Amino acid sequence: MKKIYRNGLLMLVAGAFAASCANYDIADDFCASPDPSYSEPYKDYAPVKTYIDRSKYANMTLGATLKVAEFNKQELAHAAAMTNFDNLAFGTTLMSGTIINDKGMMNFLDMMDLLDHVEEVGGEVFGSPIAANTNQPEGWLNTLTAPIEVEVSTIKDKDVDYTTMDEFTGTYKEDGPKPEIVKNFEGNQNALMCPKKSELNIVEGFDVDLSGSYTITFYAKSIKNESLFCTFADSLVKEKDADAIGKKFPLKPGEWAKIVVEAKPSKNATTGYLKISNIRNNIVYIKNVSVVHTPDNHRPQTAQEMRDTVSYAFNAWCDGLMKVNKGRITSFDLIDEPIDVQATLENGYYDLKHSEAGLFWQDVFGGEDYAPTVSKIASETYQKYEGDASKLRFFISENGLEDQKKFESLKYWINIWDGKGAKIDGINVKLNLVYSEDSDKQAANETSLNNLFDNLASTGKLIRLSDFDIKYQNASGANVSATRITVEQRQRLADYYGHVIKSYMTKIPQDKQAGICKGNMADTSDPVGLWTVDGKSWIRNATYKSFCDALSGK
């Protein structure tokens, strides 16, 4: 039997739900008060967020991560999120790379629906990263920062007039027949004779502009039908003439043919030349050759032009984002995962991530000015569109901070940015933890976690935990899946979740606790959820109870 529950959920107010337009089609274990997804043995537990003592932990919040489209469906994930969590995070789906297309058009429709609904039900959203190295509008940035077209003039590279020459001095195939100058070939003019099966450079010895476009013009004559291959500066030329066969340049018998070769040199070419080959059945005569080229009519943008262009792009992105936001999102990840563990500075700290193409925001703004620049622009546009400056908080999000050098490197960069006036209120620590049945490994896991919290507390910044999921490994190091985990293993996993939460609430000063955000509310293929998935139903598991107990101080 199925139950249709209408007007199911907006928010819990004085023990009852306010009206909603959402419809839920949930299995029999559905219960609307207070939560749409629980059964024995945890039915007596209230929504998870209600277990935080707000008088003692004024800044502490509980968040959940999900996709915008999933939330906007207003089905089970929406109901569980709004009932049990203070705020919602939407990962990459609210980042510029998802919203801005290659032409710079910004599609905020999903975000507008999301924020309007969250505002209606009294919820909160934690803002996706405003600047990052991934999930950015690369196509748009590539277009904006492309080289600028400029006016150029054609350059003459070389002329060879065989009608006035007495001897051929060019390069030809060593084991092939030697080209020769035929005197008085037609009247008083000479011509270069290319024998059957010969291969030779009819012009050579000029500098090559690897970015230039070349036009080589020569006059050729054959007694019978013939066709030539042309190779220019290590590149086999493709003839554009529709009458040409493949890459061959045709010659009709008895007529001087004007052959125009348009080509670009190979990227590895070191000298300029035009070679003709494929002379199979005829003698071919050449009168004269002319080489000109047009330099690339683009130039790279200067450093200042690049900065102006990228500043324009970042301003446009922030303006669009904050115009839709209208001050409703007050906490954002300002910068996401800036540290590059593969690049070390002279002082021993890790450098920021940089792109080979030079198109990360920090490549243009400069490492030390990165956070000051983006925080200034983001703050100004936030306040421009109804944002209360006293409520605005920016975080730097990073993963792998259990590594001491990476943590110290992030702290080093934050200190530099603080010194240059950046607004950085906190650190958003991405946690992807493991519980191990190997006692030595688990002891090391817990020691690493404790060191991380001690380090984070030393920064004096607000500390938020995000992507908070714990995978379960057996003694041999293999992951245990959500479908195979035993009751006993699930309990050990739940206990470790509780340990992490209590350690955070103990080691991080209360006024610096910016909250915990769950990576996945329900199990995926891994047993990471507060709910176990059973068909279309979500069933509370031991981790749900562990969250409630830990947040309440038990």
Side-chain angles (χ1 to χ4, degrees), residues 480-544:
V480 177
S481 69
T483 57
R484 293 184 176 274
I485 194 167
T486 67
V487 172
E488 293 77 15
Q489 289 173 325
R490 175 75 78 171
Q491 187 59 57
R492 286 195 286 270
L493 178 62
D495 291 342
Y496 191 43
Y497 269 108
H499 170 76
V500 175
I501 294 169
K502 286 185 281 188
S503 296
Y504 168 79
M505 296 178 74
T506 300
K507 288 181 171 290
I508 303 301
Q510 292 175 11
D511 64 337
K512 301 302 180 183
Q513 294 173 13
I516 297 172
C517 183
K518 191 71 180 70
N520 287 280
M521 296 187 293
D523 287 345
T524 60
S525 58
D526 295 302
V528 293
L530 283 68
W531 289 267
T532 298
V533 180
D534 180 11
K536 292 184 178 180
S537 302
W538 288 9
I539 311 300
R540 290 177 177 178
N541 61 40
T543 300
Y544 188 103

Side-chain angles (χ1 to χ4, degrees), residues 145-158:
T145 58
I148 296 172
E149 187 172 327
V150 295
E151 185 175 341
V152 296
S153 299
T154 300
I155 297 173
K156 177 173 285 191
D157 295 280
K158 192 165 186 177

Side-chain angles (χ1 to χ4, degrees), residues 130 311 314-327 332 373-388 392 394:
I130 297 174
S311 294
F314 195 76
N315 271 282
W317 155 237
C318 287
D319 193 81
L321 173 68
M322 296 307 181
K323 185 175 183 178
V324 172
N325 181 41
K326 299 178 182 177
F332 293 86
T373 301
V374 299
S375 68
K376 180 177 184 293
I377 295 171
S379 296
E380 289 176 349
T381 50
Y382 169 82
Q383 293 176 63
K384 176 181 176 182
Y385 295 107
E386 305 177 34
D388 183 347
L392 180 62
F394 286 147

